[in-house]
Amino acid sequence: MQEARADDAHACRVKHLGEQADAWHKANHLTEYVTAVRDRATSLPPGQGRTEIGAWLAFADAHLQHLTESVSAPKLPTPPKPSGDDLKPFLGHWSP
């Protein structure tokens, strides 16, 4: 059971690592997109369209700030206490 708990904790951390990597890729992808929109907006003439894009950019910048803060300081998660069902994949032919 001790080995099964350790294996479950490891699997939980590996899953979390993948989620962190996905969030990092998403933040980078969105950053590239927002940068492209910002570059395009500088060529627009003053007016409502440019004002609307400015509001959108402010929203996007705030959202990206939140995303980058959450991915810039990854933490090792503390796995939750596993249930018997959580341990089944790690017990082989044994029952929890």
Side-chain angles (χ1 to χ4, degrees), residues 42-82:
T42 60
S43 67
L44 294 175
Q48 184 175 354
R50 191 169 181 169
T51 301
E52 289 174 359
I53 289 176
W56 182 89
L57 286 168
F59 161 78
D61 287 339
H63 181 66
L64 284 172
Q65 169 124 13
H66 174 72
L67 281 178
T68 55
E69 287 172 2
S70 66
V71 299
S72 65
K75 296 177 185 171
L76 186 63
T78 302
K81 183 177 178 181

Side-chain angles (χ1 to χ4, degrees), residues 16-94:
H16 185 71
L17 177 62
E19 291 167 352
Q20 288 174 326
D22 291 344
W24 181 80
H25 282 289
K26 181 179 180 180
N28 283 330
H29 183 71
L30 289 174
T31 298
E32 289 177 13
Y33 175 64
V34 170
T35 299
V37 171
R38 187 182 320 283
D39 291 347
R40 172 72 175 107
T42 60
S43 67
L44 294 175
Q48 184 175 354
R50 191 169 181 169
T51 301
E52 289 174 359
I53 289 176
W56 182 89
L57 286 168
F59 161 78
D61 287 339
H63 181 66
L64 284 172
Q65 169 124 13
H66 174 72
L67 281 178
T68 55
E69 287 172 2
S70 66
V71 299
S72 65
K75 296 177 185 171
L76 186 63
T78 302
K81 183 177 178 181
S83 69
D85 285 342
D86 293 332
L87 296 177
K88 280 182 183 178
F90 307 106
L91 289 173
H93 66 279
W94 296 99

